[in-house]
Amino acid sequence: MKSPNTLMDKEEPFAKRMKTRIGLAATLMLAVLALGLTGTPAAAAENAVVHWSGIAEAAIAVGRPPASCSVLAGMVHGAMYDAVAAIEGGLAPFATSVTSPPDASADAAVAQAARDVLTARVPGQAAAVQTAYDAYMALIPDGPAKDGGKAVGAAAAAGMLAMRTGDHFDDVVPYVQPTPGPGVFEPIATTPPVDTKLPFVRPFTYGSPSDYRPGGPPELSSRRYARDVAEVQEVGRVDSTTRTAEQTETVRFYTDQTFVQYSRALRGLVNALGLDLRESARLLGYVHVSTADTMIAAWEAKYYYYFWRPNHAIQRADTDGNPATLPDTTWLPLVTGNHPEYPSGHACFTAAVTASLRNYFGTKHVPIAISSTVVGTTRTYQSLDEIVADVEDARVWGGLHYRTTMTQSAKHFTQIARDIGRRHFLTDKRGHDDDDDHDNDRHDNDHDDDDDDRDGRDDHGRGGKRGH
């Protein structure tokens, strides 16, 4: 059997090579499971991109919601990708093209790129990052190769930081409550709703955060809305007698910090497949940039529609004008989310990750292990569609989202990852194919029911444009 790196022979089409890797991944899944909740083996077994992805994850996640984390991760992984592209070749640059001196150390370049972006954009963790950097660099022999690598990494980071200058990520955007009423989100917790700044953050790969805005949620008067409310009202309440123990465990499993949970799983996948440095940079750069741009678009849509959560929808069902919904003023969900309901942030995050993996490997059949520190278990998936289905169920069973929100979010928000793959990280792999028919229009949001059609704009007194 060929080694994983031998499978990267250039005469083989990209998708064929990746599918061969997937075959190997099935035999390596036991190794992934053996990793436990860390999702990665000892640092000595990791290549530089995977190692620094873990360092970035730890630094970025401190005190941040998952959506904001994804933007910073996109910066770090985009810079590492450009550093590897300069030294390894075979990759089209993303943020900036860097010239590498001969024999420059790729490991030093990756460490320098990650360190520079993190210390600049995550200053609260600069000391911890610097400590990790010093320890890592001490393992690389001094000399021209190390110096050359550091220069390449610094240039890649500088290009990314220049690209993101004035991106509004660090702006403070106060929450502004639109006029309350039927269908309008109001804060669920005493703390402000999260990530109000994201609708104003400049994307990496497209013009405006509204470019990928989906059509709106179902009408309050529609049969679809009434069915959605009835389902979550029964199974999603905190003391539901309908929800099974297995369903509750699925809900809890996916209350882990989403960015960290997926980042951990991605590093485990890369290690299990034995991807080399170049392909690790490509895959992780692609996934994290796709997720960043997806979450920016998702949060723009959230604060455009301002759609109410099941909490208020059920407690105030006597105000929605739908005779098929029944109010319950005592209803509370198993899990609470303090930001507008539509679209689902977790469904969008999952769509970005799974669509990126699907496009990179050319198949939805990607064996991957996802662990949860909340329940202390690991789930193994043979198909990316299984992850999407689990997340959909978890959010409905937990009382966080309506079924339509989950299905439409998962469908609509695959488009950004596909567009990024076509234009950036996969552009130099013309042999790449996609064996699954999952193309859809970026603004497709068909709700099936005749009385559920919307034009994607709010003209019925719920949501409206952002009040910021």
PDB file of all heavy atoms in Angstrom, residues 22 25-26 29 32-33 254 261-270 272 353-354 357 361 364-371 378-384 386-387:
ATOM      1  N   ILE A  22      -9.641   8.988   1.332  1.00  0.00           N
ATOM      2  CA  ILE A  22     -10.831   8.678   2.110  1.00  0.00           C
ATOM      3  C   ILE A  22     -10.891   7.193   2.410  1.00  0.00           C
ATOM      4  O   ILE A  22     -11.267   6.756   3.495  1.00  0.00           O
ATOM      5  CB  ILE A  22     -12.096   9.125   1.357  1.00  0.00           C
ATOM      6  CG1 ILE A  22     -12.119  10.652   1.269  1.00  0.00           C
ATOM      7  CG2 ILE A  22     -13.345   8.631   2.050  1.00  0.00           C
ATOM      8  CD1 ILE A  22     -12.125  11.333   2.601  1.00  0.00           C
ATOM      9  N   ALA A  25      -8.714   6.675   5.158  1.00  0.00           N
ATOM     10  CA  ALA A  25      -9.246   7.255   6.389  1.00  0.00           C
ATOM     11  C   ALA A  25     -10.136   6.283   7.134  1.00  0.00           C
ATOM     12  O   ALA A  25     -10.175   6.277   8.372  1.00  0.00           O
ATOM     13  CB  ALA A  25     -10.026   8.524   6.077  1.00  0.00           C
ATOM     14  N   ALA A  26     -10.857   5.450   6.398  1.00  0.00           N
ATOM     15  CA  ALA A  26     -11.732   4.485   7.060  1.00  0.00           C
ATOM     16  C   ALA A  26     -10.915   3.530   7.927  1.00  0.00           C
ATOM     17  O   ALA A  26     -11.325   3.157   9.026  1.00  0.00           O
ATOM     18  CB  ALA A  26     -12.528   3.711   6.020  1.00  0.00           C
ATOM     19  N   MET A  29      -9.657   5.356  11.202  1.00  0.00           N
ATOM     20  CA  MET A  29     -10.604   5.947  12.131  1.00  0.00           C
ATOM     21  C   MET A  29     -10.363   5.505  13.573  1.00  0.00           C
ATOM     22  O   MET A  29     -10.578   6.262  14.517  1.00  0.00           O
ATOM     23  CB  MET A  29     -12.034   5.620  11.716  1.00  0.00           C
ATOM     24  CG  MET A  29     -13.092   6.340  12.538  1.00  0.00           C
ATOM     25  SD  MET A  29     -12.814   8.137  12.642  1.00  0.00           S
ATOM     26  CE  MET A  29     -13.085   8.592  10.933  1.00  0.00           C
ATOM     27  N   VAL A  32      -8.148   7.873  15.106  1.00  0.00           N
ATOM     28  CA  VAL A  32      -8.804   9.116  15.475  1.00  0.00           C
ATOM     29  C   VAL A  32      -9.552   8.943  16.787  1.00  0.00           C
ATOM     30  O   VAL A  32      -9.504   9.791  17.681  1.00  0.00           O
ATOM     31  CB  VAL A  32      -9.779   9.558  14.363  1.00  0.00           C
ATOM     32  CG1 VAL A  32     -10.499  10.835  14.771  1.00  0.00           C
ATOM     33  CG2 VAL A  32      -9.034   9.774  13.064  1.00  0.00           C
ATOM     34  N   LEU A  33     -10.268   7.831  16.923  1.00  0.00           N
ATOM     35  CA  LEU A  33     -11.010   7.582  18.153  1.00  0.00           C
ATOM     36  C   LEU A  33     -10.075   7.500  19.351  1.00  0.00           C
ATOM     37  O   LEU A  33     -10.407   7.931  20.453  1.00  0.00           O
ATOM     38  CB  LEU A  33     -11.804   6.280  18.027  1.00  0.00           C
ATOM     39  CG  LEU A  33     -13.057   6.357  17.153  1.00  0.00           C
ATOM     40  CD1 LEU A  33     -13.630   4.960  16.957  1.00  0.00           C
ATOM     41  CD2 LEU A  33     -14.100   7.261  17.777  1.00  0.00           C
ATOM     42  N   TYR A 254     -23.942  18.840  21.146  1.00  0.00           N
ATOM     43  CA  TYR A 254     -23.683  19.981  20.281  1.00  0.00           C
ATOM     44  C   TYR A 254     -23.878  21.324  20.968  1.00  0.00           C
ATOM     45  O   TYR A 254     -24.106  22.338  20.308  1.00  0.00           O
ATOM     46  CB  TYR A 254     -24.527  19.877  19.011  1.00  0.00           C
ATOM     47  CG  TYR A 254     -23.889  18.935  18.006  1.00  0.00           C
ATOM     48  CD1 TYR A 254     -24.418  17.673  17.757  1.00  0.00           C
ATOM     49  CD2 TYR A 254     -22.729  19.302  17.333  1.00  0.00           C
ATOM     50  CE1 TYR A 254     -23.820  16.810  16.848  1.00  0.00           C
ATOM     51  CE2 TYR A 254     -22.122  18.446  16.431  1.00  0.00           C
ATOM     52  CZ  TYR A 254     -22.672  17.209  16.190  1.00  0.00           C
ATOM     53  OH  TYR A 254     -22.065  16.351  15.293  1.00  0.00           O
ATOM     54  N   GLN A 261     -15.064  22.886  18.770  1.00  0.00           N
ATOM     55  CA  GLN A 261     -15.459  21.510  18.481  1.00  0.00           C
ATOM     56  C   GLN A 261     -15.092  21.114  17.051  1.00  0.00           C
ATOM     57  O   GLN A 261     -14.528  20.039  16.814  1.00  0.00           O
ATOM     58  CB  GLN A 261     -16.963  21.342  18.704  1.00  0.00           C
ATOM     59  CG  GLN A 261     -17.456  19.900  18.619  1.00  0.00           C
ATOM     60  CD  GLN A 261     -18.899  19.773  19.060  1.00  0.00           C
ATOM     61  OE1 GLN A 261     -19.729  20.633  18.779  1.00  0.00           O
ATOM     62  NE2 GLN A 261     -19.210  18.684  19.760  1.00  0.00           N
ATOM     63  N   TYR A 262     -15.389  21.978  16.090  1.00  0.00           N
ATOM     64  CA  TYR A 262     -15.067  21.663  14.695  1.00  0.00           C
ATOM     65  C   TYR A 262     -13.571  21.787  14.410  1.00  0.00           C
ATOM     66  O   TYR A 262     -13.001  21.001  13.646  1.00  0.00           O
ATOM     67  CB  TYR A 262     -15.863  22.549  13.751  1.00  0.00           C
ATOM     68  CG  TYR A 262     -17.284  22.076  13.536  1.00  0.00           C
ATOM     69  CD1 TYR A 262     -18.350  22.968  13.607  1.00  0.00           C
ATOM     70  CD2 TYR A 262     -17.566  20.748  13.259  1.00  0.00           C
ATOM     71  CE1 TYR A 262     -19.658  22.552  13.412  1.00  0.00           C
ATOM     72  CE2 TYR A 262     -18.867  20.319  13.066  1.00  0.00           C
ATOM     73  CZ  TYR A 262     -19.907  21.219  13.141  1.00  0.00           C
ATOM     74  OH  TYR A 262     -21.200  20.792  12.942  1.00  0.00           O
ATOM     75  N   SER A 263     -12.921  22.773  15.011  1.00  0.00           N
ATOM     76  CA  SER A 263     -11.472  22.915  14.826  1.00  0.00           C
ATOM     77  C   SER A 263     -10.743  21.670  15.313  1.00  0.00           C
ATOM     78  O   SER A 263      -9.826  21.158  14.650  1.00  0.00           O
ATOM     79  CB  SER A 263     -10.979  24.150  15.578  1.00  0.00           C
ATOM     80  OG  SER A 263      -9.565  24.238  15.561  1.00  0.00           O
ATOM     81  N   ARG A 264     -11.155  21.169  16.458  1.00  0.00           N
ATOM     82  CA  ARG A 264     -10.569  19.951  17.021  1.00  0.00           C
ATOM     83  C   ARG A 264     -10.787  18.763  16.073  1.00  0.00           C
ATOM     84  O   ARG A 264      -9.874  17.971  15.823  1.00  0.00           O
ATOM     85  CB  ARG A 264     -11.224  19.697  18.374  1.00  0.00           C
ATOM     86  CG  ARG A 264     -10.623  18.582  19.199  1.00  0.00           C
ATOM     87  CD  ARG A 264     -11.182  18.635  20.616  1.00  0.00           C
ATOM     88  NE  ARG A 264     -12.634  18.486  20.662  1.00  0.00           N
ATOM     89  CZ  ARG A 264     -13.458  19.282  21.328  1.00  0.00           C
ATOM     90  NH1 ARG A 264     -12.999  20.325  21.999  1.00  0.00           N
ATOM     91  NH2 ARG A 264     -14.756  19.054  21.333  1.00  0.00           N
ATOM     92  N   ALA A 265     -11.991  18.651  15.540  1.00  0.00           N
ATOM     93  CA  ALA A 265     -12.301  17.539  14.635  1.00  0.00           C
ATOM     94  C   ALA A 265     -11.508  17.640  13.334  1.00  0.00           C
ATOM     95  O   ALA A 265     -11.043  16.622  12.791  1.00  0.00           O
ATOM     96  CB  ALA A 265     -13.797  17.517  14.337  1.00  0.00           C
ATOM     97  N   LEU A 266     -11.335  18.844  12.829  1.00  0.00           N
ATOM     98  CA  LEU A 266     -10.585  19.034  11.589  1.00  0.00           C
ATOM     99  C   LEU A 266      -9.124  18.653  11.763  1.00  0.00           C
ATOM    100  O   LEU A 266      -8.526  18.003  10.890  1.00  0.00           O
ATOM    101  CB  LEU A 266     -10.697  20.489  11.133  1.00  0.00           C
ATOM    102  CG  LEU A 266     -12.069  20.916  10.601  1.00  0.00           C
ATOM    103  CD1 LEU A 266     -12.155  22.431  10.518  1.00  0.00           C
ATOM    104  CD2 LEU A 266     -12.331  20.279   9.235  1.00  0.00           C
ATOM    105  N   ARG A 267      -8.541  19.039  12.879  1.00  0.00           N
ATOM    106  CA  ARG A 267      -7.148  18.658  13.123  1.00  0.00           C
ATOM    107  C   ARG A 267      -7.018  17.141  13.260  1.00  0.00           C
ATOM    108  O   ARG A 267      -6.056  16.540  12.780  1.00  0.00           O
ATOM    109  CB  ARG A 267      -6.616  19.367  14.368  1.00  0.00           C
ATOM    110  CG  ARG A 267      -6.403  20.851  14.154  1.00  0.00           C
ATOM    111  CD  ARG A 267      -5.780  21.567  15.341  1.00  0.00           C
ATOM    112  NE  ARG A 267      -6.720  21.730  16.442  1.00  0.00           N
ATOM    113  CZ  ARG A 267      -6.607  21.145  17.624  1.00  0.00           C
ATOM    114  NH1 ARG A 267      -5.581  20.324  17.852  1.00  0.00           N
ATOM    115  NH2 ARG A 267      -7.498  21.350  18.573  1.00  0.00           N
ATOM    116  N   GLY A 268      -8.002  16.524  13.911  1.00  0.00           N
ATOM    117  CA  GLY A 268      -7.984  15.070  14.005  1.00  0.00           C
ATOM    118  C   GLY A 268      -8.091  14.408  12.642  1.00  0.00           C
ATOM    119  O   GLY A 268      -7.425  13.400  12.368  1.00  0.00           O
ATOM    120  N   LEU A 269      -8.932  14.958  11.762  1.00  0.00           N
ATOM    121  CA  LEU A 269      -9.081  14.409  10.422  1.00  0.00           C
ATOM    122  C   LEU A 269      -7.784  14.522   9.622  1.00  0.00           C
ATOM    123  O   LEU A 269      -7.351  13.561   8.973  1.00  0.00           O
ATOM    124  CB  LEU A 269     -10.205  15.143   9.691  1.00  0.00           C
ATOM    125  CG  LEU A 269     -10.424  14.769   8.220  1.00  0.00           C
ATOM    126  CD1 LEU A 269     -10.871  13.315   8.095  1.00  0.00           C
ATOM    127  CD2 LEU A 269     -11.436  15.703   7.565  1.00  0.00           C
ATOM    128  N   VAL A 270      -7.155  15.691   9.673  1.00  0.00           N
ATOM    129  CA  VAL A 270      -5.903  15.898   8.944  1.00  0.00           C
ATOM    130  C   VAL A 270      -4.833  14.931   9.437  1.00  0.00           C
ATOM    131  O   VAL A 270      -4.098  14.330   8.644  1.00  0.00           O
ATOM    132  CB  VAL A 270      -5.434  17.353   9.083  1.00  0.00           C
ATOM    133  CG1 VAL A 270      -4.006  17.519   8.553  1.00  0.00           C
ATOM    134  CG2 VAL A 270      -6.383  18.293   8.343  1.00  0.00           C
ATOM    135  N   ALA A 272      -5.349  12.000  10.931  1.00  0.00           N
ATOM    136  CA  ALA A 272      -5.715  10.630  10.582  1.00  0.00           C
ATOM    137  C   ALA A 272      -5.402  10.325   9.122  1.00  0.00           C
ATOM    138  O   ALA A 272      -4.996   9.215   8.780  1.00  0.00           O
ATOM    139  CB  ALA A 272      -7.199  10.396  10.852  1.00  0.00           C
ATOM    140  N   VAL A 353     -18.430  24.150   7.069  1.00  0.00           N
ATOM    141  CA  VAL A 353     -17.433  23.107   7.298  1.00  0.00           C
ATOM    142  C   VAL A 353     -17.672  21.914   6.378  1.00  0.00           C
ATOM    143  O   VAL A 353     -16.749  21.434   5.702  1.00  0.00           O
ATOM    144  CB  VAL A 353     -17.447  22.661   8.771  1.00  0.00           C
ATOM    145  CG1 VAL A 353     -16.575  21.420   8.978  1.00  0.00           C
ATOM    146  CG2 VAL A 353     -16.966  23.794   9.675  1.00  0.00           C
ATOM    147  N   THR A 354     -18.897  21.423   6.330  1.00  0.00           N
ATOM    148  CA  THR A 354     -19.173  20.220   5.545  1.00  0.00           C
ATOM    149  C   THR A 354     -19.079  20.482   4.057  1.00  0.00           C
ATOM    150  O   THR A 354     -18.603  19.626   3.299  1.00  0.00           O
ATOM    151  CB  THR A 354     -20.544  19.629   5.899  1.00  0.00           C
ATOM    152  OG1 THR A 354     -21.566  20.615   5.704  1.00  0.00           O
ATOM    153  CG2 THR A 354     -20.569  19.151   7.342  1.00  0.00           C
ATOM    154  N   LEU A 357     -15.328  20.526   3.185  1.00  0.00           N
ATOM    155  CA  LEU A 357     -14.785  19.167   3.150  1.00  0.00           C
ATOM    156  C   LEU A 357     -15.287  18.407   1.922  1.00  0.00           C
ATOM    157  O   LEU A 357     -14.525  17.681   1.268  1.00  0.00           O
ATOM    158  CB  LEU A 357     -15.172  18.420   4.427  1.00  0.00           C
ATOM    159  CG  LEU A 357     -14.528  18.913   5.728  1.00  0.00           C
ATOM    160  CD1 LEU A 357     -15.105  18.151   6.924  1.00  0.00           C
ATOM    161  CD2 LEU A 357     -13.012  18.777   5.692  1.00  0.00           C
ATOM    162  N   PHE A 361     -12.585  17.016  -0.873  1.00  0.00           N
ATOM    163  CA  PHE A 361     -12.408  15.582  -1.086  1.00  0.00           C
ATOM    164  C   PHE A 361     -13.166  15.060  -2.293  1.00  0.00           C
ATOM    165  O   PHE A 361     -12.905  13.939  -2.748  1.00  0.00           O
ATOM    166  CB  PHE A 361     -12.840  14.803   0.159  1.00  0.00           C
ATOM    167  CG  PHE A 361     -11.905  14.969   1.328  1.00  0.00           C
ATOM    168  CD1 PHE A 361     -12.292  15.668   2.453  1.00  0.00           C
ATOM    169  CD2 PHE A 361     -10.632  14.430   1.295  1.00  0.00           C
ATOM    170  CE1 PHE A 361     -11.436  15.822   3.529  1.00  0.00           C
ATOM    171  CE2 PHE A 361      -9.760  14.579   2.361  1.00  0.00           C
ATOM    172  CZ  PHE A 361     -10.166  15.280   3.482  1.00  0.00           C
ATOM    173  N   LYS A 364     -19.106  13.293  -0.307  1.00  0.00           N
ATOM    174  CA  LYS A 364     -19.668  13.532   1.022  1.00  0.00           C
ATOM    175  C   LYS A 364     -19.281  12.432   1.999  1.00  0.00           C
ATOM    176  O   LYS A 364     -19.511  12.556   3.199  1.00  0.00           O
ATOM    177  CB  LYS A 364     -21.189  13.623   0.944  1.00  0.00           C
ATOM    178  CG  LYS A 364     -21.889  12.321   0.560  1.00  0.00           C
ATOM    179  CD  LYS A 364     -23.387  12.516   0.465  1.00  0.00           C
ATOM    180  CE  LYS A 364     -24.096  11.213   0.079  1.00  0.00           C
ATOM    181  NZ  LYS A 364     -25.556  11.432  -0.048  1.00  0.00           N
ATOM    182  N   HIS A 365     -18.669  11.374   1.503  1.00  0.00           N
ATOM    183  CA  HIS A 365     -18.327  10.235   2.357  1.00  0.00           C
ATOM    184  C   HIS A 365     -16.940  10.442   2.967  1.00  0.00           C
ATOM    185  O   HIS A 365     -15.936   9.871   2.518  1.00  0.00           O
ATOM    186  CB  HIS A 365     -18.400   8.938   1.558  1.00  0.00           C
ATOM    187  CG  HIS A 365     -19.760   8.699   0.966  1.00  0.00           C
ATOM    188  ND1 HIS A 365     -20.858   8.395   1.733  1.00  0.00           N
ATOM    189  CD2 HIS A 365     -20.193   8.759  -0.323  1.00  0.00           C
ATOM    190  CE1 HIS A 365     -21.917   8.261   0.949  1.00  0.00           C
ATOM    191  NE2 HIS A 365     -21.546   8.475  -0.300  1.00  0.00           N
ATOM    192  N   VAL A 366     -16.897  11.266   3.986  1.00  0.00           N
ATOM    193  CA  VAL A 366     -15.647  11.617   4.669  1.00  0.00           C
ATOM    194  C   VAL A 366     -15.734  11.119   6.107  1.00  0.00           C
ATOM    195  O   VAL A 366     -16.470  11.692   6.911  1.00  0.00           O
ATOM    196  CB  VAL A 366     -15.406  13.136   4.647  1.00  0.00           C
ATOM    197  CG1 VAL A 366     -14.109  13.487   5.367  1.00  0.00           C
ATOM    198  CG2 VAL A 366     -15.398  13.662   3.221  1.00  0.00           C
ATOM    199  N   PRO A 367     -15.013  10.075   6.457  1.00  0.00           N
ATOM    200  CA  PRO A 367     -15.049   9.587   7.849  1.00  0.00           C
ATOM    201  C   PRO A 367     -14.400  10.608   8.781  1.00  0.00           C
ATOM    202  O   PRO A 367     -13.262  11.011   8.588  1.00  0.00           O
ATOM    203  CB  PRO A 367     -14.221   8.293   7.801  1.00  0.00           C
ATOM    204  CG  PRO A 367     -14.114   7.940   6.348  1.00  0.00           C
ATOM    205  CD  PRO A 367     -14.159   9.237   5.612  1.00  0.00           C
ATOM    206  N   ILE A 368     -15.142  11.042   9.783  1.00  0.00           N
ATOM    207  CA  ILE A 368     -14.620  12.060  10.686  1.00  0.00           C
ATOM    208  C   ILE A 368     -15.168  11.815  12.086  1.00  0.00           C
ATOM    209  O   ILE A 368     -16.316  11.381  12.243  1.00  0.00           O
ATOM    210  CB  ILE A 368     -14.986  13.482  10.183  1.00  0.00           C
ATOM    211  CG1 ILE A 368     -14.319  14.557  11.050  1.00  0.00           C
ATOM    212  CG2 ILE A 368     -16.492  13.678  10.113  1.00  0.00           C
ATOM    213  CD1 ILE A 368     -14.441  15.964  10.456  1.00  0.00           C
ATOM    214  N   ALA A 369     -14.349  12.065  13.071  1.00  0.00           N
ATOM    215  CA  ALA A 369     -14.744  11.917  14.472  1.00  0.00           C
ATOM    216  C   ALA A 369     -14.908  13.299  15.090  1.00  0.00           C
ATOM    217  O   ALA A 369     -14.042  14.158  14.949  1.00  0.00           O
ATOM    218  CB  ALA A 369     -13.699  11.123  15.246  1.00  0.00           C
ATOM    219  N   ILE A 370     -16.030  13.516  15.764  1.00  0.00           N
ATOM    220  CA  ILE A 370     -16.299  14.780  16.457  1.00  0.00           C
ATOM    221  C   ILE A 370     -16.519  14.461  17.934  1.00  0.00           C
ATOM    222  O   ILE A 370     -17.309  13.581  18.279  1.00  0.00           O
ATOM    223  CB  ILE A 370     -17.535  15.486  15.877  1.00  0.00           C
ATOM    224  CG1 ILE A 370     -17.320  15.781  14.390  1.00  0.00           C
ATOM    225  CG2 ILE A 370     -17.827  16.778  16.643  1.00  0.00           C
ATOM    226  CD1 ILE A 370     -18.520  16.439  13.712  1.00  0.00           C
ATOM    227  N   SER A 371     -15.812  15.165  18.793  1.00  0.00           N
ATOM    228  CA  SER A 371     -15.919  14.929  20.226  1.00  0.00           C
ATOM    229  C   SER A 371     -16.600  16.110  20.898  1.00  0.00           C
ATOM    230  O   SER A 371     -16.642  17.225  20.371  1.00  0.00           O
ATOM    231  CB  SER A 371     -14.543  14.700  20.846  1.00  0.00           C
ATOM    232  OG  SER A 371     -13.718  15.839  20.641  1.00  0.00           O
ATOM    233  N   THR A 378     -17.425  10.810  21.931  1.00  0.00           N
ATOM    234  CA  THR A 378     -17.010  11.062  20.555  1.00  0.00           C
ATOM    235  C   THR A 378     -17.971  10.351  19.607  1.00  0.00           C
ATOM    236  O   THR A 378     -18.322   9.189  19.837  1.00  0.00           O
ATOM    237  CB  THR A 378     -15.577  10.569  20.302  1.00  0.00           C
ATOM    238  OG1 THR A 378     -14.676  11.275  21.161  1.00  0.00           O
ATOM    239  CG2 THR A 378     -15.158  10.782  18.859  1.00  0.00           C
ATOM    240  N   ARG A 379     -18.382  11.045  18.562  1.00  0.00           N
ATOM    241  CA  ARG A 379     -19.246  10.454  17.543  1.00  0.00           C
ATOM    242  C   ARG A 379     -18.461  10.343  16.244  1.00  0.00           C
ATOM    243  O   ARG A 379     -17.760  11.281  15.858  1.00  0.00           O
ATOM    244  CB  ARG A 379     -20.497  11.308  17.314  1.00  0.00           C
ATOM    245  CG  ARG A 379     -21.402  11.379  18.537  1.00  0.00           C
ATOM    246  CD  ARG A 379     -22.704  12.087  18.239  1.00  0.00           C
ATOM    247  NE  ARG A 379     -23.599  11.988  19.386  1.00  0.00           N
ATOM    248  CZ  ARG A 379     -24.909  12.172  19.342  1.00  0.00           C
ATOM    249  NH1 ARG A 379     -25.496  12.479  18.183  1.00  0.00           N
ATOM    250  NH2 ARG A 379     -25.643  12.051  20.422  1.00  0.00           N
ATOM    251  N   THR A 380     -18.588   9.210  15.586  1.00  0.00           N
ATOM    252  CA  THR A 380     -17.917   9.022  14.303  1.00  0.00           C
ATOM    253  C   THR A 380     -18.962   9.051  13.202  1.00  0.00           C
ATOM    254  O   THR A 380     -20.035   8.457  13.319  1.00  0.00           O
ATOM    255  CB  THR A 380     -17.156   7.694  14.249  1.00  0.00           C
ATOM    256  OG1 THR A 380     -18.059   6.616  14.488  1.00  0.00           O
ATOM    257  CG2 THR A 380     -16.058   7.669  15.294  1.00  0.00           C
ATOM    258  N   TYR A 381     -18.627   9.748  12.129  1.00  0.00           N
ATOM    259  CA  TYR A 381     -19.529   9.901  10.991  1.00  0.00           C
ATOM    260  C   TYR A 381     -18.847   9.383   9.737  1.00  0.00           C
ATOM    261  O   TYR A 381     -17.664   9.631   9.513  1.00  0.00           O
ATOM    262  CB  TYR A 381     -19.899  11.371  10.800  1.00  0.00           C
ATOM    263  CG  TYR A 381     -20.667  11.973  11.950  1.00  0.00           C
ATOM    264  CD1 TYR A 381     -19.997  12.630  12.993  1.00  0.00           C
ATOM    265  CD2 TYR A 381     -22.046  11.908  12.003  1.00  0.00           C
ATOM    266  CE1 TYR A 381     -20.702  13.200  14.047  1.00  0.00           C
ATOM    267  CE2 TYR A 381     -22.763  12.471  13.059  1.00  0.00           C
ATOM    268  CZ  TYR A 381     -22.085  13.112  14.069  1.00  0.00           C
ATOM    269  OH  TYR A 381     -22.786  13.663  15.119  1.00  0.00           O
ATOM    270  N   GLN A 382     -19.619   8.690   8.913  1.00  0.00           N
ATOM    271  CA  GLN A 382     -19.111   8.223   7.630  1.00  0.00           C
ATOM    272  C   GLN A 382     -19.551   9.137   6.489  1.00  0.00           C
ATOM    273  O   GLN A 382     -19.011   9.057   5.392  1.00  0.00           O
ATOM    274  CB  GLN A 382     -19.592   6.795   7.358  1.00  0.00           C
ATOM    275  CG  GLN A 382     -19.102   5.771   8.369  1.00  0.00           C
ATOM    276  CD  GLN A 382     -17.587   5.696   8.435  1.00  0.00           C
ATOM    277  OE1 GLN A 382     -16.903   5.683   7.412  1.00  0.00           O
ATOM    278  NE2 GLN A 382     -17.043   5.680   9.650  1.00  0.00           N
ATOM    279  N   SER A 383     -20.537   9.970   6.741  1.00  0.00           N
ATOM    280  CA  SER A 383     -21.035  10.895   5.724  1.00  0.00           C
ATOM    281  C   SER A 383     -21.211  12.265   6.350  1.00  0.00           C
ATOM    282  O   SER A 383     -21.678  12.396   7.485  1.00  0.00           O
ATOM    283  CB  SER A 383     -22.375  10.401   5.160  1.00  0.00           C
ATOM    284  OG  SER A 383     -22.991  11.400   4.368  1.00  0.00           O
ATOM    285  N   LEU A 384     -20.863  13.302   5.589  1.00  0.00           N
ATOM    286  CA  LEU A 384     -21.023  14.658   6.076  1.00  0.00           C
ATOM    287  C   LEU A 384     -22.490  15.015   6.275  1.00  0.00           C
ATOM    288  O   LEU A 384     -22.829  15.832   7.135  1.00  0.00           O
ATOM    289  CB  LEU A 384     -20.368  15.630   5.093  1.00  0.00           C
ATOM    290  CG  LEU A 384     -18.858  15.442   4.902  1.00  0.00           C
ATOM    291  CD1 LEU A 384     -18.354  16.279   3.741  1.00  0.00           C
ATOM    292  CD2 LEU A 384     -18.095  15.778   6.182  1.00  0.00           C
ATOM    293  N   GLU A 386     -24.643  13.220   7.621  1.00  0.00           N
ATOM    294  CA  GLU A 386     -25.046  12.765   8.954  1.00  0.00           C
ATOM    295  C   GLU A 386     -24.777  13.840  10.007  1.00  0.00           C
ATOM    296  O   GLU A 386     -25.539  13.975  10.977  1.00  0.00           O
ATOM    297  CB  GLU A 386     -24.285  11.483   9.312  1.00  0.00           C
ATOM    298  CG  GLU A 386     -24.603  10.297   8.415  1.00  0.00           C
ATOM    299  CD  GLU A 386     -23.658   9.131   8.652  1.00  0.00           C
ATOM    300  OE1 GLU A 386     -22.737   9.268   9.491  1.00  0.00           O
ATOM    301  OE2 GLU A 386     -23.821   8.097   7.996  1.00  0.00           O
ATOM    302  N   ILE A 387     -23.714  14.603   9.835  1.00  0.00           N
ATOM    303  CA  ILE A 387     -23.415  15.688  10.767  1.00  0.00           C
ATOM    304  C   ILE A 387     -24.487  16.761  10.663  1.00  0.00           C
ATOM    305  O   ILE A 387     -25.006  17.247  11.675  1.00  0.00           O
ATOM    306  CB  ILE A 387     -22.029  16.288  10.475  1.00  0.00           C
ATOM    307  CG1 ILE A 387     -20.946  15.213  10.529  1.00  0.00           C
ATOM    308  CG2 ILE A 387     -21.717  17.417  11.463  1.00  0.00           C
ATOM    309  CD1 ILE A 387     -19.581  15.709  10.079  1.00  0.00           C
TER     310      ILE A 387
END
